[in-house]
Amino acid sequence: MNARLRLLLLLALFALAASLHAQSKSMCKTFLDSTAKLHTRVECVEALFSDPKFHFTFSGLPPGNGFALGGMFEDEVDNTSSSGKLSSMQVKLSILGSVNQSWVASGIFDLTPPLYRPDRNKDNEVCQRLGILCTKTQLSLHAQGIHRSLQTISFYGLGPLSPALKHTFRQNDTFGGIAANLPLTDYLALGSGIELLQSDLPPTTDPLSVNNNFTNLTAPGLQSQPFFTHTNIAIITTASAVTNPRTDDDPLNHTGPLMKRNIRFTFINQAAYHWYSAVNNSSSSFERFVFAGDESIGIGSNVRRYFTVADTGRGFGSRLFYYILRNACGNGHEKLTAPSDYVIKVTQQCNYGKVDFRSNLAVSNTGTGSVIPFYLQPTVGGSDINSQVSLRGFPNYRFRDRNAVVVQVEYSVPIADPVGLLLFYDAGRVGSVLSDLTFSHLRQDTGFGVTFSLQKNVVAQTYVAWGAGHGPTLNYNFSKLF
Amino acid sequence: MPTPIKHLVVLMLENRSFDHMLGFMKSLNPAIDGLNGDEWNYPARELDPNVVVAPDAGDVHDLTPDPHHDFGDVTAQIFSSGISGSADMRGFVRDYYTLTQDPARAGNVMKCFTPATLPILTTLATQYAVCDRWFSAVPGSTIPNRMFVHGANSVGSVNQDAIDAPFLLHTIFESFDETTPYDFRIYANGASILIANKYLMLHQGKFFPYSQFAADARAGNLPAYTFIEPTYDDDGQGNFANSQHPDFPVDRGESLISDIYYALTKSPGWKSTLFLILYDEHGGTFDHVTPPTVARQPSSAGFPDVTPSPDPAFDFTRLGVRVPAVFVSPCIPPNTILHDRDYEHSSVVATVRKLFCPGSKPLTWREGQAPTFDDVLTLMGDAIRTDVVNLPMPVVSGGIQIQASAEQRRATDLSVLMARAMQYSLAQANLKSAGDVSTLTNAADVSTYLRQAQQNVIAGANK
């Protein structure tokens, strides 16, 4: 039995397990009934992709390899020690493949030892306010082993000015390692990990393939792919703040300020230094500094006075204002009463979405005479091999070099679960030297899109972006869930 | 005199009687109708000596298995010689014996806390006001009593089989419509039976995570009426039960009370806030005061009926066992004792309506007749207290009770009932099912189901 057939059988097994599990759910029992309602069918599909233990998955395959489908098994065991401290173990096994015969198989194990009580964050008011971000860093261990076989990765040459002619190559990666997070304070943690990495670039006969159009000089690492040990050390900071003025508003007030701000800030930043040591081929060894930041602002407010539709006026602007308020501060009154009766009351909480400022910087360093394999160089454009979006106005992997920078501003707001609206601005560039990365050199784009969430996580986005100089670019991204 | 109450905050905990929690406060203040220490119950077996109350309740381990408190059991606890006999409150031990088959363990329902072992609730009861005449609304279990605190009705239910009642119940929350400028919020950490309610399903914006409560209080974001749900069960995700339901640790509930108190004292509206700590029913634990009857008065003839219970037949003219009720406000002087009226859970509905929904009609005659407590704030002007009581730490007598993880432990009956009620409500509202409750086996699964069900309600309400 060849490897591909074994893979197909394994995929089928996962799919069958996920399917059988989901079919036991009531909404899936009537899926094929002619009387079944649309939302029941949609919910069945959602269950197929989110049920505990066995479920289908469609993410995790790097972009450019088509729509991937597979199965995932995940299990988590939480325990409480006799002294009330929590521990957890989580296992995830997945395999998925796409129509172009790319596939990924992975196994992940996470462990949080019993060091912390569940009320660890109890006294942190800001933390309480932010709900899910309340979790302070905990000591955790992570182990993973992954193999991926990718049939189509794009390559446009190296450098910030590479021509827009797409070449492709195949890439097989096998990597695995362990990593740990060690909290130093409530808001500062130290991370470290070690990984073994073996890549392989099988040649293809495609006229536009990399192996037919590039050499080891123009695409270092094309000829042979060394075995790497990859170690890293990182500093991780998390901080949050909220500004929500302290007022004692009278519910009977019909005048005065309508709102007070309720703005939530979160700052998550990580600076890491990586060592990639090529075994038996020191000319491919390199080091890399990587900074990743996500500064987020949740925009909200609280109502300070009694407000009815009659207060808004009849003009289009007034009605739009009222519509926005009703959705942002909605408490469902519109379901039961006529819109004209809708009221917004004192202390009601309004949510207008979130602004994210993201930044990524990768700066590589090599010894004299050493070069970085091209397939390990960072990319900018569309999504990268880890499904991180960068310059969305450009194709996936559009620019590649030893250094890269990306900054993004993104506004997202839920419209109707599971769909949200996305507005974004991206800027980024690659370069062989740091001076290539100055702001004046950056390529820029802007656009809008919609997001799709599952279990409150954005799992996919599709967008239109302008910036490449040839009109709008339509693209999509599936987030990497493992 | 207009009431100074602009914010009413109600915390309803679980399954403890007045005597069980605060009866021995009588040693601090003889005016409280508490325990002398010689109150007794008939023994489990006839030839054994009577079982006398004991001041040695522990925060865990005493009440496993959970004492029965369905309608029939409560009747047996109140009427030791049967419903035709006197309501002598001496059947608690015998009723627990039918469950434990252990005469020594059956006597555990006579174990009571003392001011030393329940320091936070006792301190607040001493420093502010304690009511020794607050009775659960129904001589039955949790769900019907919790429905009464919201709707002065239980839709005919007296037991934990109320699958459809939470969905159908009309509540005081419906009166917070466009006719009143006042608003309400429900803070919950996970499960709430209110999420299964038809009206509240459409008003998901009124539910807030409890983790947000302290910050909201500090910023002045608490509305006129706030209802706080405790955490009912361990969920395997770091949330532990603090409802004080037997046999979950009582000290966690004490911590919850303490947290809410300190959060409220930091609120800009503290001087016009009343914090009511209440228990839904007695949970099978002993109390010596016979619950009163509540005959319908001619003055409430025009109010809607309370849905009668067909089986067992019951018309809701008798109250349940007395429960603790502690009123906390800077407008209440220390050592206040409220015992001139027979309050019951419908009093919350009646008071909320009087304060914040004036002009609207009572939901039932029980609400129409229930005494209100809008007048318990007696200090005015310069007399309003500026002190913040320094609460002691809770007493931990038994350590962590639940050794098994939520995955390894059977879900509580209450959690399962909530899940069944949610399943019914989702189907009735034509919302996405969260699965089949009958297939759930452990506490973590039930907790996951309830969270998923809530997500489905939110998603459905937004569509």
Side-chain angles (χ1 to χ4, degrees):
Chain A
M1 193 184 296
N2 65 33
R4 188 162 295 167
L5 185 57
R6 283 202 299 270
L7 171 67
L8 283 173
L9 285 174
L10 195 56
L11 267 172
L13 185 66
F14 264 105
L16 183 65
S19 173
L20 287 176
H21 192 262
Q23 282 170 29
S24 67
K25 304 288 180 181
S26 57
M27 57 273 198
C28 289
K29 288 177 180 168
T30 59
F31 188 86
L32 296 176
D33 291 358
S34 58
T35 55
K37 293 182 177 172
L38 176 62
H39 78 83
T40 306
R41 289 179 171 144
V42 170
E43 288 154 7
C44 172
V45 173
E46 283 181 5
L48 285 168
F49 285 91
S50 61
D51 270 357
K53 302 272 172 91
F54 283 105
H55 61 81
F56 286 114
T57 184
F58 55 75
S59 64
L61 203 60
N65 290 284
F67 181 79
L69 187 66
M72 179 179 283
F73 168 80
E74 54 185 326
D75 199 10
E76 182 171 351
V77 177
D78 299 318
N79 271 307
T80 308
S81 71
S82 57
S83 58
K85 292 175 178 172
L86 287 175
S87 62
S88 73
M89 286 187 292
Q90 188 178 40
V91 174
K92 286 184 181 178
L93 302 172
S94 69
I95 183 165
L96 74 166
S98 71
V99 288
N100 81 340
Q101 300 182 340
S102 298
W103 60 278
V104 176
S106 70
I108 292 174
F109 174 76
D110 285 300
L111 170 69
T112 303
L115 296 174
Y116 309 104
R117 292 179 180 279
D119 53 0
R120 176 168 156 76
N121 300 293
K122 189 174 91 172
D123 298 326
N124 186 329
E125 195 168 290
V126 171
C127 184
Q128 286 179 348
R129 181 75 180 178
L130 296 173
I132 195 166
L133 290 168
C134 198
T135 305
K136 294 175 182 173
T137 311
Q138 300 194 339
L139 177 64
S140 59
L141 301 171
H142 172 88
Q144 67 176 22
I146 295 173
H147 177 83
R148 59 189 179 195
S149 176
L150 311 173
Q151 300 299 317
T152 313
I153 302 290
S154 306
F155 183 62
Y156 296 82
L158 297 177
L161 302 174
S162 58
L165 179 59
K166 183 168 85 172
H167 300 83
T168 61
F169 63 98
R170 291 171 60 191
Q171 180 171 344
N172 298 329
D173 297 323
T174 304
F175 52 100
I178 55 172
N181 264 4
L182 174 68
L184 302 176
T185 71
D186 286 343
Y187 308 106
L188 184 67
L190 196 62
S192 184
I194 183 165
E195 183 182 59
L196 305 177
L197 165 64
Q198 174 67 67
S199 294
D200 173 38
L201 308 182
T204 69
T205 56
D206 182 350
L208 284 177
S209 68
V210 172
N211 58 282
N212 284 332
N213 293 275
F214 291 84
T215 65
N216 210 46
L217 197 62
T218 53
L222 182 61
Q223 203 166 37
S224 65
Q225 296 79 46
F227 179 77
F228 280 95
T229 60
H230 166 208
T231 54
N232 72 85
I233 187 165
I235 295 282
I236 305 145
T237 64
T238 56
S240 55
V242 62
T243 167
N244 187 204
R246 197 165 178 264
T247 59
D248 186 16
D249 298 307
D250 187 345
L252 301 174
N253 257 0
H254 217 30
T255 58
L258 178 60
M259 298 281 179
K260 66 175 177 180
R261 67 181 178 275
N262 187 339
I263 313 291
R264 292 152 290 147
F265 301 88
T266 57
F267 310 99
I268 302 172
N269 293 284
Q270 176 171 325
Y273 202 84
H274 300 258
W275 291 266
Y276 288 85
S277 300
V279 179
N280 298 327
N281 184 359
S282 60
S283 65
S284 294
S285 297
F286 65 98
E287 298 170 7
R288 180 173 291 154
F289 170 78
V290 176
F291 172 83
D294 186 352
E295 327 324 319
S296 171
I297 304 174
I299 307 168
S301 68
N302 289 95
V303 180
R304 295 195 63 189
R305 66 172 161 85
Y306 189 37
F307 185 78
T308 72
V309 67
D311 297 320
T312 62
R314 295 279 172 192
F316 174 77
S318 302
R319 285 177 177 275
L320 179 64
F321 175 63
Y322 176 74
Y323 179 81
I324 291 170
L325 277 189
R326 194 183 68 177
N327 280 282
C329 319
N331 62 7
H333 273 300
E334 69 273 20
K335 299 287 183 184
L336 297 182
T337 58
S340 59
D341 295 332
Y342 185 80
V343 291
I344 293 170
K345 297 183 179 184
V346 170
T347 73
Q348 211 159 306
Q349 186 170 297
C350 312
N351 174 19
Y352 311 106
K354 188 176 70 157
V355 179
D356 279 286
F357 299 88
R358 297 199 193 93
S359 53
N360 277 276
L361 172 69
V363 179
S364 304
N365 181 33
T366 54
T368 307
S370 292
V371 289
I372 304 171
F374 79 97
Y375 56 88
L376 290 179
Q377 296 188 13
T379 64
V380 167
S383 303
D384 68 9
I385 199 166
N386 293 314
S387 299
Q388 295 291 315
V389 291
S390 53
L391 275 176
R392 278 167 277 198
F394 293 82
N396 302 325
Y397 318 101
R398 173 62 184 85
F399 302 103
R400 188 187 292 256
D401 211 328
R402 49 190 286 153
N403 305 315
V405 65
V406 173
V407 292
Q408 295 172 306
V409 184
E410 189 172 287
Y411 171 71
S412 57
V413 60
I415 300 293
D417 186 63
V419 177
L421 173 68
L422 182 70
L423 302 174
F424 59 83
Y425 163 81
D426 305 316
R429 186 170 171 97
V430 299
S432 58
V433 292
L434 262 181
S435 58
D436 285 338
L437 307 184
T438 56
F439 193 80
S440 60
H441 287 112
L442 299 186
R443 293 180 185 273
Q444 303 172 63
D445 65 43
T446 186
F448 68 90
V450 292
T451 58
F452 302 91
S453 300
L454 195 62
Q455 309 277 320
K456 288 199 163 184
N457 295 311
V458 173
V459 294
Q461 59 176 268
T462 181
Y463 53 82
V464 179
W466 289 262
H470 52 67
T473 298
L474 176 66
N475 205 343
Y476 63 90
N477 167 269
F478 291 108
S479 53
K480 186 182 177 188
L481 292 185
F482 50 80
Chain B
M1 186 170 61
T3 175
I5 302 174
K6 291 182 181 173
H7 304 280
L8 172 62
V9 179
V10 176
L11 168 68
M12 181 172 256
L13 296 161
E14 283 279 296
N15 291 37
R16 307 275 176 173
S17 73
F18 182 90
D19 278 347
H20 177 70
M21 300 295 268
L22 297 176
F24 278 109
M25 260 190 78
K26 189 172 183 177
S27 63
L28 302 177
N29 189 339
I32 294 172
D33 188 0
L35 297 169
N36 297 315
D38 58 357
E39 291 78 4
W40 57 273
N41 251 221
Y42 292 115
R45 298 176 302 193
E46 280 194 17
L47 297 180
D48 290 342
N50 292 332
V51 184
V52 180
V53 292
D56 59 353
D59 74 324
V60 287
H61 300 316
D62 287 340
L63 298 172
T64 298
D66 183 24
H68 282 158
H69 43 280
D70 270 348
F71 183 80
D73 296 284
V74 179
T75 302
Q77 291 158 7
I78 296 172
F79 301 91
S80 67
S81 54
I83 189 71
S84 57
S86 68
D88 58 4
M89 309 299 286
R90 285 177 174 154
F92 289 83
V93 174
R94 281 184 179 170
D95 187 70
Y96 195 31
Y97 179 67
T98 64
L99 180 64
T100 63
Q101 296 297 306
D102 176 347
R105 179 153 281 273
N108 285 356
V109 290
M110 301 299 283
K111 289 185 171 183
C112 299
F113 289 93
T114 68
T117 55
L118 204 64
I120 292 175
L121 189 65
T122 304
T123 299
L124 289 173
T126 305
Q127 291 295 321
Y128 296 98
V130 61
C131 174
D132 61 7
R133 297 290 296 179
W134 192 298
F135 296 87
S136 48
V138 182
S141 50
T142 286
I143 298 298
N145 274 293
R146 285 195 170 266
M147 286 194 282
F148 256 85
V149 83
H150 303 303
N153 195 359
S154 64
V155 200
S157 167
V158 294
N159 287 328
Q160 292 287 66
D161 55 0
I163 303 304
D164 57 348
F167 180 74
L168 299 170
L169 181 72
H170 288 286
T171 69
I172 184 65
F173 303 115
E174 295 175 35
S175 299
F176 284 86
D177 57 14
E178 66 279 3
T179 64
T180 173
Y182 299 103
D183 207 359
F184 72 91
R185 284 186 181 192
I186 298 157
Y187 284 90
N189 188 16
S192 166
I193 196 65
L194 290 171
I195 296 170
N197 181 258
K198 182 180 182 180
Y199 177 87
L200 291 169
M201 276 184 157
L202 298 171
H203 292 74
Q204 287 297 306
K206 298 302 185 188
F207 288 88
F208 290 81
Y210 175 73
S211 60
Q212 191 178 310
F213 176 78
D216 282 343
R218 188 181 189 88
N221 293 340
L222 294 185
Y225 179 41
T226 299
F227 188 83
I228 300 174
E229 298 270 24
T231 304
Y232 291 99
D233 205 343
D234 302 348
D235 65 0
Q237 298 180 22
N239 294 304
F240 284 79
N242 56 18
S243 68
Q244 297 188 333
H245 188 296
D247 212 4
F248 288 117
V250 169
D251 68 285
R252 288 194 183 276
E254 287 260 277
S255 294
L256 175 65
I257 293 169
S258 176
D259 287 350
I260 295 171
Y261 172 74
Y262 283 127
L264 290 175
T265 60
K266 293 171 185 167
S267 164
W270 170 233
K271 286 187 176 177
S272 53
T273 298
L274 173 60
F275 173 31
L276 171 59
I277 305 159
L278 199 56
Y279 288 72
D280 62 344
E281 38 95 0
H282 72 300
T285 58
F286 170 74
D287 195 87
H288 79 280
V289 174
T290 300
T293 56
V294 281
R296 187 168 185 165
Q297 303 298 318
S299 59
S300 57
F303 298 142
D305 291 337
V306 174
T307 315
S309 167
D311 183 22
F314 186 61
D315 58 2
F316 296 92
T317 54
R318 181 161 55 82
L319 298 181
V321 176
R322 194 172 58 144
V323 291
V326 174
F327 294 85
V328 179
S329 169
C331 301
I332 295 176
N335 297 307
T336 299
I337 302 171
L338 303 171
H339 49 193
D340 59 336
R341 301 170 206 166
D342 288 346
Y343 293 105
E344 52 111 345
H345 297 340
S346 304
S347 296
V348 173
V349 185
T351 305
V352 170
R353 187 180 307 284
K354 185 175 180 182
L355 290 172
F356 307 129
C357 311
S360 56
K361 297 250 171 62
L363 290 164
T364 65
W365 65 265
R366 280 281 294 267
E367 182 198 336
Q369 288 183 201
T372 60
F373 50 82
D374 52 300
D375 56 353
V376 301
L377 275 58
T378 55
L379 301 179
M380 309 291 281
D382 292 342
I384 295 176
R385 296 166 58 173
T386 56
D387 63 316
V388 175
V389 175
N390 190 19
L391 296 177
M393 294 297 288
V395 171
V396 181
S397 60
I400 298 294
Q401 179 233 356
I402 305 296
Q403 299 292 344
S405 70
E407 284 86 359
Q408 296 164 331
R409 186 172 50 76
R410 199 172 71 87
T412 63
D413 291 345
L414 177 58
S415 297
V416 172
L417 179 84
M418 284 188 183
R420 291 175 64 201
M422 281 303 305
Q423 186 175 25
Y424 175 88
S425 299
L426 289 172
Q428 291 298 306
N430 199 24
L431 294 176
K432 176 184 176 182
S433 165
D436 183 357
V437 173
S438 65
T439 65
L440 306 179
T441 53
N442 60 53
D445 284 348
V446 172
S447 172
T448 301
Y449 173 89
L450 288 167
R451 286 180 189 277
Q452 185 59 55
Q454 184 176 8
Q455 290 302 317
N456 294 357
V457 169
I458 292 169
N462 289 338
K463 283 176 181 169

